[in-house]
Amino acid sequence: MNFKSNMKHMNIKIAYFSGTGCTAYAASILRQTAEKMGHEAALYKIGSAEEFDLKTDELLIICYVVHACNPPKPVINWLKNLHNAGNSAAVLSVSGGGEITPNLASRLPAVRILEKKGMNIIYEDMLIMPSNWVIAMSDNLASRLIEVLPLKAEKILSAIFSGIVRRTAPGPGNRLLSILCRLEHFGAEKVGRKMIISKDCTGCGICSIKCPVGNIKLNDGKPVFSTLCTLCLGCIYSCPEQALSLSMLKFFRIKEGFSITRLLTLPPPGENFDLNTETEKAVWKGVRKYLSDI
């Protein structure tokens, strides 16, 4: 694909993987922004039964949440099975911490798989969405991230449509961290199998519906977990009775819970938002940098 020859009008496929809904929302904003800029864009949910067809004149944008310094296992498997080659692609990772260690090599596995298939990687970047893992963000900080998402999407897409190439080069330490943390893929399967189901479970099936990899089935009105878990925590956060919990690695779950639906209803923080105060904790260093560059 001659990327620069398609700057006036582009056809885009945005393939995304999302656990708790943050990346799905980010992907939807990318599509809306691309369409407002005069381009055609379609969404594809990785893990769905829908057939994926990438035409030679389409730009592929891969958008996924970072899992343990890496793309989630379903994303890696999907990319390995992707038959279309010779196109241009952009890889966008999504995290709650930003472009800092340990996330710096989170796109490298995806980039290498696509390059081996002959695809031209023209752009890499990261979007930040509210944290849904280990450490909770304040509502003010979360709503600010949601507020600036369309601006970030426009900035990224404007660069892509202008023919600007952006590639990142993580250092050896972050590359090694990415390799070591792939062990989480195997650990997640075991942790998922040992999910605790309390007596409060009503068998509503919401956990099964929310699971992005189809890991949960109902048997006699109770959820049964298979070996496909990615530890996205979507089932735990979405349970209306709070009947699901981790038997191991309990600190992964934010005690207050997480709901992107709730966060999307929050009003923008406006003039009451103080970036330095909201990001004073060292863990939000990457978020501070991200919000400073708008």
Side-chain angles (χ1 to χ4, degrees):
M1 175 180 177
N2 187 336
F3 175 64
K4 290 191 176 182
S5 69
N6 287 280
M7 286 191 292
K8 291 185 178 180
H9 177 83
M10 296 188 70
N11 296 314
I12 305 162
K13 282 277 178 65
I14 304 171
Y16 72 92
F17 181 85
S18 184
T20 58
C22 289
T23 303
Y25 180 72
S28 71
I29 294 298
L30 285 167
R31 180 176 72 170
Q32 292 173 24
T33 304
E35 291 175 343
K36 287 179 181 178
M37 298 172 78
H39 306 277
E40 290 187 25
L43 289 179
Y44 176 82
K45 181 180 178 181
I46 295 175
S48 70
E50 180 186 354
E51 183 177 348
F52 183 80
D53 180 28
L54 183 65
K55 298 179 175 62
T56 55
D57 65 340
E58 291 179 320
L59 168 69
L60 173 62
I61 298 180
I62 303 291
C63 188
Y64 59 80
V65 58
V66 175
H67 278 195
C69 320
N70 282 283
K73 188 176 180 180
V75 173
I76 291 177
N77 291 338
W78 184 81
L79 291 172
K80 287 180 177 179
N81 292 321
L82 188 64
H83 297 298
N84 308 72
N87 295 71
S88 294
V91 180
L92 305 179
S93 51
V94 180
S95 81
E99 200 79 80
I100 58 171
T101 300
N103 296 328
L104 293 178
S106 61
R107 293 181 295 273
L108 189 57
V111 166
R112 284 178 170 171
I113 293 171
L114 290 171
E115 286 182 330
K116 286 181 179 179
K117 292 179 176 290
M119 299 193 78
N120 178 30
I121 309 303
I122 60 171
Y123 206 86
E124 295 181 56
D125 213 333
M126 180 176 288
L127 294 168
I128 302 181
M129 290 294 286
S131 173
N132 58 10
W133 188 74
V134 183
I135 303 174
M137 283 181 171
S138 68
D139 280 357
N140 248 6
L141 185 54
S143 61
R144 179 60 172 161
L145 288 171
I146 292 170
E147 180 184 32
V148 305
L149 180 60
L151 298 177
K152 290 290 184 177
E154 183 177 2
K155 182 177 181 180
I156 289 172
L157 292 175
S158 293
I160 292 174
F161 299 150
S162 298
I164 296 173
V165 175
R166 183 180 189 269
R167 297 293 304 272
T168 56
N174 280 281
R175 295 200 301 270
L176 177 60
L177 190 59
S178 173
I179 293 171
L180 293 175
C181 285
R182 286 173 208 171
L183 292 172
E184 187 264 356
H185 290 165
F186 304 99
E189 297 170 356
K190 293 184 178 180
V191 173
R193 284 283 288 175
K194 296 182 181 295
M195 195 76 69
I196 297 173
I197 308 167
S198 78
K199 58 180 177 57
D200 296 321
C201 176
T202 63
C204 66
I206 291 177
C207 58
S208 178
I209 295 171
K210 292 291 185 179
C211 180
V213 293
N215 188 55
I216 308 171
K217 308 295 182 184
L218 290 185
N219 186 8
D220 293 330
K222 296 295 180 182
V224 176
F225 296 81
S226 187
T227 59
L228 301 175
C229 183
T230 65
L231 276 185
C232 73
L233 305 182
C235 59
I236 292 177
Y237 290 139
S238 65
C239 178
E241 306 300 329
Q242 299 183 31
L244 300 177
S245 60
L246 294 168
S247 62
M248 300 177 282
L249 305 173
K250 294 179 181 292
F251 67 93
F252 279 10
R253 179 188 183 275
I254 294 175
K255 292 181 180 179
E256 300 86 351
F258 180 85
S259 171
I260 185 61
T261 303
R262 182 188 74 82
L263 293 175
L264 289 174
T265 65
L266 295 175
E271 296 180 357
N272 295 325
F273 183 80
D274 186 282
L275 179 60
N276 291 329
T277 300
E278 293 291 346
T279 59
E280 61 182 354
K281 293 182 180 180
V283 71
W284 304 135
K285 177 182 177 182
V287 180
R288 186 187 311 120
K289 180 180 178 182
Y290 177 86
L291 290 176
S292 297
D293 183 25
I294 298 176

